[in-house]
Amino acid sequence: MAQRKYDIEDAVSAQSTGADTSAQPPPEPTPPHVKPISKVAGGMTSALVAAKFAWGEMGVVRGSRTLMQLNQKQGIDCPGCAWPEPDGERSHFEFCEEGAKHVADEATKKRVTPEFFAKHSVKELAEQPDVWLNQQGRITHPMVLRENASHYEAVDWTEAFALIASELNSLASPDEAIFYTSGRTSNEAAFLYQLFVRQFGTNNLPDCSNMCHESSGTGMKEALGFGKGTVTLEDFDLCDAIFIIGQNPGTNHPRMLTTLLQAKRRGCKIVHINPLPEAGTTRFKHPQEFWTWLGAGSKLADLFLQVRINGDVALLKGMMKEVLEAEERRPGEILDHNFINQHTTGFEEFKDALARVHVGDILDQSGISKVKIEDAAKIFIESERVIFCWAMGLTQHKNAVANIQEIVNLMMLRGQLGKPGAGLCPVRGHSNVQGDRTMGIWEQPTDDFLDKLGKEFRFGPPRKHGLDTVHAIQAMHEGKAKVFFALGGNFLSATPDTEYTAEALRRCKLTAHVSTKLNRAHLITGKQALILPCLGRTEIDQQASGPQFVTTENSMAVVEEWRGRLEPASEHLLSEPAIVAGLAKATLGSRTSIDWDALVADYDRIRDHIEHVVPGFENFNERVRQAGGFYLPNPIRDLKFNTPDGRAQFTVHPLARVNLESGQFLMMTMRSHDQFNTTIYGLDDRYRGIHNGRRVVFMNPDDIRVNRFHDGQLVDLVSHFEGEERVARSFRIVPYSIPRRCTATYFPETNVLVPVKYFADKSHTPASKSVVISILPSSENDSSRKLS
């Protein structure tokens, strides 16, 4: 009999302050309203929504001025996605709707003061929805929640640092501390942070990459010896075909749509592979081309393959079989034999294994007809230059690393690496998640990096590998880790198994978060808790030597400088580097010889050290001041593979079989259009037709009928994993175009259903895109009203 655990309404036992606060948002008071899905992305609506949001949060003049500086050379960096800016001339409006929301959200005039925390207890705040928490504004003072207290209270920075230092230094081992990092952290802050953590004595540096593109890095590193994308933005001007798989650019990377539109207009073929049709890859109206606002928009995707959830390996194998069969019909004309023979290993083993895969299994697992697989393969074969783009739709499965490596296999068949207009493009979802890893935010640092770090700062870095995100959660839950520190992010809402994670955090002696705004992670705490408010990307960073700038690395490995232009939200805010330095001084004391104050006084000094430690940053301060920044080295573009034999590796993987019992479905989690990661701006997802609500489950209409459900029915979702059940209550059924026995929901609402021990092989990324669930009529009162 299955063990039911972590019911959303179950009380979670814990001994710490705030044990009676909810780790989950409250149920929605009214059902969402469903309208017809949008058939086109962008256009006048997108422009108006961006302006309305920006002006509403920042004011008309301040908002307009800020948006005009966004993503400009030496301007303000969008804290949103990591899609790159053009190398040459840039538009005066180099931002998208989502970027405008994100910047306005950070630069809001609303403030969360000590008086706010005095008025609202932690328990009262936990009863509010996530969108309400975010809408309260910028946190103005450091705040502490003392043991057994019900309210946060103001604390000065000296006492806050001393409290953290005391708890860290009282640990039996440095490995009892967890130091998390969000992708919003700049290169300079990330480098200082990992330096402090390693001088403290641990490699426990989990980060948000563990939960998103870790599978991309792991898969590419094994196959190619390099874990980053291999293309530049210029390659999109040269390619003949673009495959977009497991990605929704219209919501998650809207500026990418401009690149796709430009490619489409010059004749490039675009193939979209995804379980759900998405407006952004169907049709697009460029918001700056006002003369197109009244038309139907430009069609982007030439071919849409509505693959079953986690049917990607099967689909890719199907395409590869078509490529090999075409080679048999036209020997020497299809495969790039020179590339395969000179630069790869394992082709014959790969070819033999693929021949043994039955076409019937491919069609069954992928849900795609043979005709459509042939159509996709034809586009691939007939295109001299191909780019493959992907995001979390591929990286959050148990077989996620295999997903990535099958793309590599396919691309190597025709030598689509190391030439202009072709290559691999994992599209990162946070502005500096890639840069943080480059700076050393990794629980598995290489010996070479540690050797250089130790030599530069004259100490012996720890060599034992640390804990990634899922194993850090387990360590806290088991009492093996007792202090949790987060440099940015909303850890509770971003991670899997929400109630398990909440219990893990409650078992800590101290939890501390560097933040700009209130989120649910501040309300589920250890015995003591701190909120440490920092400057935002939009704000002036004034230090002893004058105003400072910071740098980030985008998805295509461009490092660029960014300068805040707005006055800080409060005089009590510190920059992230200053917070790290203050914590390091308080914790390490005489154990460190580093002049932390000097590094914070002038960030050029931090960059000088980065130059000595991190490859590719030669003359860092000089090159980053050049308009547009500089590219980091990319060995794949030069056909250099840092693998044991110096060659790219063909790999062999089984089909990803999903065995569902009667009444079970495969669920994927995803963002809404009013959301950036765990930050909820509003309750609408207009591209999918959802308004004023988020607790919905998208289902195939035939599944609704066969299982005797109905449109708008209130249901509970139950996940199944190794004999355990997890429950999320009160979701409304929405009929949608999605493959049979597949469902989709929004995160973080359904993260409660994702088991902490269910993660990708090798990369340990939570398998949030393939959760087995059953759907039951809700135990709550059901109005039985239809939503559409």
Side-chain angles (χ1 to χ4, degrees):
M1 184 175 180
Q3 175 188 357
R4 179 160 296 191
K5 62 186 298 186
Y6 304 127
D7 189 315
I8 189 174
E9 295 188 343
D10 286 347
V12 180
S13 61
Q15 299 177 351
S16 63
T17 298
D20 58 344
T21 58
S22 174
Q24 289 286 307
E28 293 169 351
T30 58
H33 181 60
V34 179
K35 298 180 180 179
I37 64 173
S38 176
K39 297 180 181 180
V40 61
M44 179 173 61
T45 301
S46 183
L48 293 176
V49 169
K52 179 180 178 181
F53 199 92
W55 294 344
E57 293 293 329
M58 295 188 286
V60 175
V61 175
R62 184 170 177 263
S64 300
R65 184 172 60 245
T66 301
L67 291 181
M68 294 289 284
Q69 297 167 338
L70 193 58
N71 293 323
Q72 299 300 322
K73 294 177 181 178
Q74 299 178 326
I76 297 173
D77 180 32
C78 177
C81 80
W83 189 254
E85 294 73 34
D87 291 333
E89 292 297 318
R90 297 183 183 178
S91 162
H92 292 299
F93 303 95
E94 198 62 54
F95 60 88
C96 64
E97 177 188 338
E98 296 303 299
K101 290 177 182 176
H102 198 94
V103 168
D105 189 70
E106 176 186 289
T108 180
K109 292 183 177 181
K110 300 172 186 174
R111 300 291 180 261
V112 175
T113 64
E115 290 73 24
F116 172 91
F117 286 104
K119 180 179 179 181
H120 300 284
S121 69
V122 171
K123 185 175 186 298
E124 291 170 347
L125 291 172
E127 294 170 353
Q128 298 295 331
D130 290 343
V131 66
W132 185 91
L133 295 175
N134 181 67
Q135 287 173 349
Q136 300 315 296
R138 291 288 298 279
I139 301 170
T140 61
H141 292 67
M143 305 299 298
V144 62
L145 183 66
R146 303 189 190 278
E147 188 170 0
N148 298 321
S150 60
H151 290 67
Y152 274 99
E153 62 184 72
V155 63
D156 64 40
W157 282 103
T158 300
E159 183 182 351
F161 290 142
L163 173 59
I164 301 171
S166 175
E167 292 293 347
L168 288 175
N169 288 326
S170 69
L171 297 174
S173 164
D175 290 332
E176 292 183 344
I178 305 295
F179 297 93
Y180 176 76
T181 313
S182 160
R184 76 174 298 279
T185 305
S186 68
N187 288 331
E188 291 73 15
F191 186 81
L192 279 194
Y193 189 50
Q194 63 82 29
L195 173 60
F196 155 64
V197 171
R198 292 189 165 108
Q199 283 215 328
F200 178 64
T202 185
N203 284 312
N204 284 347
L205 282 160
D207 69 336
C208 60
S209 183
N210 294 153
M211 295 182 285
C212 56
H213 271 289
E214 195 72 55
S215 301
S216 299
T218 301
M220 293 173 66
K221 185 87 172 170
E222 281 189 357
L224 304 175
F226 186 69
K228 299 180 182 181
T230 69
V231 299
T232 69
L233 204 56
E234 184 180 3
D235 288 317
F236 284 83
D237 296 330
L238 304 173
C239 62
D240 303 305
I242 301 170
F243 285 74
I244 305 165
I245 180 168
Q247 182 193 1
N248 175 17
T251 288
N252 300 336
H253 314 93
R255 285 190 301 124
M256 181 180 176
L257 297 183
T258 300
T259 302
L260 297 178
L261 178 62
Q262 292 168 347
K264 180 68 177 178
R265 285 175 173 171
R266 61 171 179 78
C268 178
K269 298 288 187 180
I270 297 176
V271 178
H272 186 215
I273 304 168
N274 202 54
L276 280 73
E278 301 290 6
T281 45
T282 304
R283 287 187 175 275
F284 175 56
K285 297 179 184 179
H286 198 306
Q288 295 180 36
E289 297 178 354
F290 60 86
W291 56 91
T292 68
W293 286 1
L294 298 179
S298 299
K299 180 182 177 182
L300 292 185
D302 297 274
L303 178 65
F304 172 53
L305 302 180
Q306 193 167 21
V307 67
R308 293 184 62 192
I309 293 175
N310 205 15
D312 307 285
V313 165
L315 172 60
L316 292 165
K317 285 183 181 295
M319 290 180 61
M320 289 186 285
K321 287 179 78 72
E322 293 294 328
V323 172
L324 293 180
E325 289 174 9
E327 172 69 15
E328 290 179 1
R329 294 191 297 269
R330 296 154 53 193
E333 297 182 26
I334 306 300
L335 298 183
D336 188 333
H337 291 282
N338 286 337
F339 178 87
I340 293 171
N341 294 334
Q342 295 179 23
H343 299 292
T344 74
T345 296
F347 172 70
E348 291 301 326
E349 294 86 345
F350 157 80
K351 180 181 176 181
D352 291 343
L354 185 60
R356 294 192 293 270
V357 179
H358 195 275
V359 172
D361 290 334
I362 288 175
L363 303 183
D364 178 62
Q365 292 294 317
S366 68
I368 304 297
S369 69
K370 191 171 190 304
V371 171
K372 283 207 166 185
I373 293 177
E374 290 171 352
D375 290 342
K378 181 180 180 182
I379 291 174
F380 180 76
I381 291 170
E382 293 180 351
S383 300
E384 182 64 25
R385 297 175 175 85
V386 177
I387 293 176
F388 246 92
C389 304
W390 70 88
M392 263 85 85
L394 287 194
T395 65
Q396 293 181 328
H397 301 276
K398 182 170 176 55
N399 50 280
V401 171
N403 288 342
I404 308 309
Q405 292 183 340
E406 292 287 26
I407 292 176
V408 174
N409 287 338
L410 175 61
M411 294 287 274
M412 291 196 300
L413 290 178
R414 287 186 45 78
Q416 297 289 355
L417 297 174
K419 65 181 181 181
L424 305 170
C425 183
V427 185
R428 311 282 175 170
H430 212 319
S431 59
N432 201 41
V433 63
Q434 185 162 301
D436 289 347
R437 179 58 56 86
T438 302
M439 292 297 107
I441 300 294
W442 194 23
E443 74 280 358
Q444 301 179 54
T446 64
D447 286 338
D448 181 63
F449 178 86
L450 294 179
D451 289 343
K452 291 179 178 177
L453 187 70
K455 180 180 179 181
E456 180 72 6
F457 294 99
R458 302 178 188 176
F459 79 107
R463 299 285 166 161
K464 176 186 173 184
H465 283 179
L467 300 172
D468 57 28
T469 296
V470 294
H471 290 100
I473 294 169
Q474 293 178 55
M476 290 187 286
H477 197 274
E478 295 167 4
K480 297 177 182 178
K482 299 178 174 64
V483 173
F484 175 81
F485 187 95
L487 187 60
N490 179 356
F491 187 79
L492 175 69
S493 296
T495 48
D497 220 338
T498 308
E499 294 295 349
Y500 181 97
T501 300
E503 191 171 343
L505 291 168
R506 288 180 175 126
R507 293 180 178 183
C508 289
K509 296 171 64 179
L510 173 69
T511 51
H513 298 266
V514 177
S515 304
T516 56
K517 302 185 77 176
L518 191 63
N519 65 55
R520 196 159 297 277
H522 303 144
L523 311 177
I524 306 299
T525 71
K527 290 183 177 180
Q528 299 182 88
L530 284 162
I531 304 174
L532 306 176
C534 66
L535 294 173
R537 290 267 184 88
T538 57
E539 292 170 323
I540 298 169
D541 185 352
Q542 183 72 34
Q543 301 297 339
S545 67
Q548 304 297 307
F549 68 84
V550 296
T551 64
T552 60
E553 176 189 343
N554 64 35
S555 281
M556 296 178 189
V558 177
V559 179
E560 191 167 357
E561 68 163 293
W562 306 103
R563 300 173 185 268
R565 306 288 181 172
L566 304 179
E567 290 296 323
S570 165
E571 63 180 344
H572 302 286
L573 306 183
L574 294 182
S575 70
E576 287 180 319
I579 292 173
V580 173
L583 181 57
K585 290 190 299 177
T587 304
L588 301 176
S590 61
R591 288 175 286 166
T592 181
S593 61
I594 295 171
D595 189 344
W596 298 92
D597 289 332
L599 295 177
V600 173
D602 187 345
Y603 294 176
D604 277 0
R605 293 167 182 156
I606 304 175
R607 288 184 282 271
D608 285 340
H609 287 299
I610 293 173
E611 175 181 327
H612 299 155
V613 175
V614 184
F617 284 84
E618 296 78 12
N619 302 315
F620 188 4
N621 275 306
E622 177 185 346
R623 289 196 294 155
V624 81
R625 283 176 163 84
Q626 298 171 3
F630 61 92
Y631 282 90
L632 291 174
N634 192 308
I636 307 305
R637 294 176 194 154
D638 299 323
L639 293 176
K640 295 179 180 178
F641 304 101
N642 187 27
T643 57
D645 64 0
R647 290 169 170 256
Q649 311 291 305
F650 277 97
T651 53
V652 175
H653 306 281
L655 286 174
R657 297 185 181 275
V658 178
N659 298 313
L660 297 175
E661 297 179 7
S662 177
Q664 290 184 342
F665 303 85
L666 201 59
M667 182 195 80
M668 58 178 275
T669 65
M670 61 186 184
R671 289 189 203 172
S672 80
H673 196 65
D674 256 359
Q675 172 180 0
F676 175 77
N677 291 344
T678 59
T679 301
I680 312 300
Y681 304 128
L683 299 179
D684 295 345
D685 188 2
R686 72 173 189 274
Y687 286 170
R688 300 190 183 105
I690 305 299
H691 296 266
N692 195 39
R694 293 177 53 82
R695 299 185 77 83
V696 297
V697 53
F698 296 96
M699 292 183 68
N700 183 288
D702 289 337
D703 285 334
I704 296 174
R705 176 183 53 81
V706 169
N707 289 275
R708 298 183 179 179
F709 293 128
H710 61 77
D711 176 3
Q713 184 171 348
L714 195 65
V715 294
D716 297 335
L717 311 180
V718 182
S719 70
H720 307 274
F721 177 75
E722 296 184 350
E724 295 179 350
E725 293 181 348
R726 290 159 173 80
V727 184
R729 299 195 183 278
S730 304
F731 284 74
R732 296 276 177 178
I733 290 177
V734 174
Y736 208 78
S737 176
I738 188 171
R740 292 291 305 274
R741 304 195 74 179
C742 295
T743 62
T745 59
Y746 298 129
F747 74 83
E749 285 80 0
T750 50
N751 284 358
V752 68
L753 299 174
V754 184
V756 72
K757 294 182 180 179
Y758 182 42
F759 47 73
D761 298 330
K762 299 181 181 179
S763 70
H764 300 165
T765 299
S768 304
K769 295 289 189 291
S770 358
V771 181
V772 176
I773 67 167
S774 54
I775 302 174
L776 307 175
S778 178
S779 58
E780 296 186 10
N781 230 357
D782 184 4
S783 66
S784 296
R785 89 170 245 204
K786 287 189 176 182
L787 300 183
S788 54

